[in-house]
Amino acid sequence: MRILSLLVVHFWAPWAPQCAQMNDVMAELAKEHPQVSFVKLEAEAVPEVSEKYGISSVPTFLFFKNSQKIDRLDGAHAPELTKKVQRHASSGSFPPSGNEHPKEDLNLRLKKLTHAAPCMLFMKGTPQEPRCGFSKQMVEILHKHNIQFSSFDIFSDEEVRQGLKTYSNWPTYPQLYVSGELIGGLDIIKELEASDELDTICPKAPKLEERLKVLTNKASVMLFMKGNKQEAKCGFSKQILEILNSTGVEYETFDILEDEEVRQGLKTFSNWPTYPQLYVKGELVGGLDIVKVRSEFIWHPKDGKCWHV
């Protein structure tokens, strides 16, 4: 019996420690299930993809077979992720009907992987920990040009590592794809950089101001604080959590301690020098002192208006 290929996509964010923990879980699952493809997508770097699949929080996992989404898992639930991978990896088997089918299935899988994000880098290791000099140089060039990309670690899947060489007719790594089309390896990328063509070919990562606009509008009521809902890491953040919880209003939080760029950038963006900061429908309400005075007027998503709580 042959198993239909399974693709697990992790929508993550570098500022979320729970995502890093789930990345470790995925790495272990990849060892246990070599027939399964695991891909990480930085949710905020691919807003179109995140919007298409309704990604509103991280970590979120989507499961695909034959280009069709078959399951979803929201949150950092390692036991549940393990169960879902085991279940889907062992289901949907069927008898082979010819020698060419395994190759066709691999090509389909490679097509899905190369189209997993607008810009996909197949490399040795990860952008955070490249495992060869060429991959490290490629990542440095992409970051230098503020190019948004997702990556696949070819060391995590030998079938993909060997199969992609034939699929793309390119014998070495790293390999960079844009909209599913091979651009080339490191030498080609260096040539494109030298000719100023790289910036026109690859999608740009959102600028900080654009990212902050997205973050402040992520939920109707958005709190930027030190820590999170479960654990405030300063007294002011703890007090504002208590106020919000007492109103019963739904809200989301962002831990500024996990992202220095956001922590510093939001001060300028909002013209407010301290934290916590509370936003309603993308507009700054203020810090703790302001919220103490105005806590009775908070945007309520059910009513769609400002109301007295």
Side-chain angles (χ1 to χ4, degrees):
M1 300 290 282
R2 180 164 52 85
I3 305 297
L4 289 169
S5 61
L6 173 66
L7 172 65
V8 181
V9 182
H10 177 199
F11 287 84
W12 72 295
W15 44 262
Q18 62 269 33
C19 289
Q21 296 169 2
M22 295 307 291
N23 282 337
D24 293 339
V25 174
M26 279 215 319
E28 292 301 316
L29 288 172
K31 296 176 184 178
E32 298 174 13
H33 302 277
Q35 79 279 19
V36 178
S37 297
F38 293 89
V39 176
K40 295 185 296 181
L41 291 183
E42 187 175 339
E44 292 170 359
V46 287
E48 299 88 354
V49 179
S50 296
E51 182 178 357
K52 178 181 178 181
Y53 291 105
I55 306 300
S56 58
S57 62
V58 293
T60 294
F61 299 85
L62 299 184
F63 300 77
F64 294 86
K65 275 189 179 179
N66 287 345
S67 301
Q68 298 294 319
K69 183 167 74 73
I70 59 171
D71 204 351
R72 176 185 182 121
L73 175 64
D74 293 282
H77 307 295
E80 186 64 22
L81 177 64
T82 301
K83 290 178 183 178
K84 285 181 179 289
V85 170
Q86 291 173 340
R87 182 170 72 251
H88 292 305
S90 60
S91 65
S93 60
F94 58 92
S97 56
N99 292 331
E100 294 185 0
H101 282 283
K103 183 177 179 180
E104 291 174 355
D105 277 354
L106 176 58
N107 284 340
L108 177 62
R109 187 177 167 209
L110 294 174
K111 183 178 180 180
K112 289 189 291 184
L113 285 172
T114 54
H115 285 82
C119 186
M120 276 296 295
L121 175 63
F122 292 81
M123 61 180 292
K124 295 178 179 179
T126 66
Q128 292 75 30
E129 295 183 12
R131 295 174 64 182
C132 82
F134 298 129
S135 292
K136 181 180 180 181
Q137 290 182 61
M138 179 75 89
V139 169
E140 289 173 348
I141 291 174
L142 296 179
H143 283 160
K144 175 183 174 183
H145 289 264
N146 196 34
I147 292 170
Q148 65 177 30
F149 68 97
S150 294
S151 65
F152 184 94
D153 182 359
I154 59 167
F155 283 149
S156 69
D157 194 314
E158 187 64 22
E159 184 182 38
V160 170
R161 180 180 183 180
Q162 300 303 328
L164 197 59
K165 295 178 183 179
T166 303
Y167 178 85
S168 62
N169 193 27
W170 197 271
T172 59
Y173 291 99
Q175 295 181 14
L176 186 70
Y177 291 75
V178 172
S179 299
E181 296 293 328
L182 175 67
I183 302 301
L186 179 61
D187 289 341
I188 298 296
I189 299 306
K190 285 183 174 179
E191 291 176 7
L192 291 173
E193 181 185 33
S195 64
D196 295 326
E197 295 179 77
L198 185 62
D199 290 327
T200 64
I201 294 174
C202 298
K204 289 285 190 177
K207 294 180 180 179
L208 177 59
E209 185 173 348
E210 295 172 356
R211 185 182 174 208
L212 294 175
K213 187 174 182 180
V214 171
L215 284 174
T216 53
N217 284 275
K218 186 178 178 181
S220 297
V221 179
M222 194 71 194
L223 176 64
F224 292 80
M225 60 177 289
K226 295 179 180 179
N228 53 49
K229 282 184 179 181
Q230 290 71 39
E231 183 183 4
K233 294 184 178 179
C234 81
F236 299 129
S237 293
K238 182 179 180 182
Q239 289 182 60
I240 205 167
L241 282 181
E242 292 172 348
I243 292 172
L244 290 176
N245 289 336
S246 69
T247 67
V249 170
E250 296 178 2
Y251 67 96
E252 296 294 333
T253 63
F254 184 98
D255 185 356
I256 59 163
L257 298 179
E258 297 294 335
D259 194 315
E260 188 64 22
E261 184 182 45
V262 170
R263 180 179 184 176
Q264 300 304 328
L266 196 60
K267 296 178 183 179
T268 303
F269 179 83
S270 63
N271 194 27
W272 196 270
T274 60
Y275 291 98
Q277 295 182 15
L278 184 69
Y279 290 75
V280 172
K281 287 196 70 182
E283 296 293 330
L284 176 68
V285 174
L288 176 60
D289 290 341
I290 301 297
V291 172
K292 282 181 177 179
V293 176
R294 299 181 58 190
S295 62
E296 70 273 17
F297 295 103
I298 296 180
W299 175 264
H300 195 280
K302 293 181 180 178
D303 290 350
K305 60 183 180 181
C306 286
W307 71 304
H308 191 280
V309 295

